[in-house]
Amino acid sequence: MKVTAEKNEKVANMIFGTIYPLYLNRLEKNDRTKEELDQVIKWFTGYDQETLDGLIEEKVTYRTFFQKAKIHKNAHMIKGVVCGYRIEEIEDEFEVYKQSRQLEKLIDELARGRKMEKILREEKK
């Protein structure tokens, strides 16, 4: 599937703080914890706990959430299909959409029981 400018804009304007509890609910149903969710988000965005909590409380949009982030240097290693979109095929012009799908892929892997060291991708030495 192709990402459109409208789709990118729709996601960019969503409030991260309203989606976060949905992520958490999904993970808790799969015996994962808030700490694990936060660990994955902090790895991906470079945020510390205080900043993450603040952005959730401020109800920032996905656009702001990702603009303020220092996306992990290994984010390019997040590949696969999420919601019918192959992450590595999403054009760079739709950066917010791509980053939201990368984050969802990490959360999906966590929900499916993948080990944290596999989720938090590292370059092979």
Side-chain angles (χ1 to χ4, degrees):
M1 291 196 323
K2 280 281 199 208
V3 179
T4 62
E6 294 79 24
K7 190 83 162 162
N8 187 64
E9 204 51 32
K10 183 178 179 185
V11 169
N13 291 318
M14 289 175 17
I15 305 298
F16 181 77
T18 60
I19 305 301
Y20 179 87
L22 302 176
Y23 290 150
L24 182 58
N25 187 34
R26 176 171 180 223
L27 291 173
E28 288 176 340
K29 285 181 186 173
N30 290 289
D31 297 321
R32 300 311 285 249
T33 65
K34 177 186 186 307
E35 289 72 25
E36 289 172 309
L37 171 60
D38 289 353
Q39 182 181 356
V40 166
I41 294 171
K42 291 185 297 189
W43 175 86
F44 184 63
T45 61
Y47 292 136
D48 59 26
Q49 191 65 51
E50 187 179 337
T51 304
L52 176 59
D53 293 342
L55 291 169
I56 291 168
E57 213 171 282
E58 287 174 39
K59 299 195 181 322
V60 298
T61 63
Y62 267 90
R63 176 180 283 117
T64 302
F65 183 78
F66 288 124
Q67 279 175 344
K68 291 183 175 197
K70 291 181 184 74
I71 301 300
H72 197 281
K73 65 181 172 52
N74 291 343
H76 68 279
M77 296 170 72
I78 304 168
K79 297 180 178 179
V81 178
V82 178
C83 299
Y85 292 90
R86 179 157 290 285
I87 293 169
E88 56 273 29
E89 292 176 1
I90 298 173
E91 294 91 352
D92 290 341
E93 68 183 286
F94 305 122
E95 186 177 44
V96 173
Y97 193 83
K98 185 172 193 165
Q99 290 168 340
S100 72
R101 291 297 179 215
Q102 287 173 317
L103 181 59
E104 283 183 36
K105 180 69 174 172
L106 297 175
I107 293 167
D108 189 47
E109 290 175 355
L110 187 60
R112 291 179 182 197
R114 193 164 195 210
K115 289 184 179 358
M116 192 62 79
E117 56 270 12
K118 296 268 189 198
I119 297 170
L120 308 182
R121 288 146 170 86
E122 291 299 324
E123 297 277 359
K124 290 190 172 72
K125 305 256 188 278

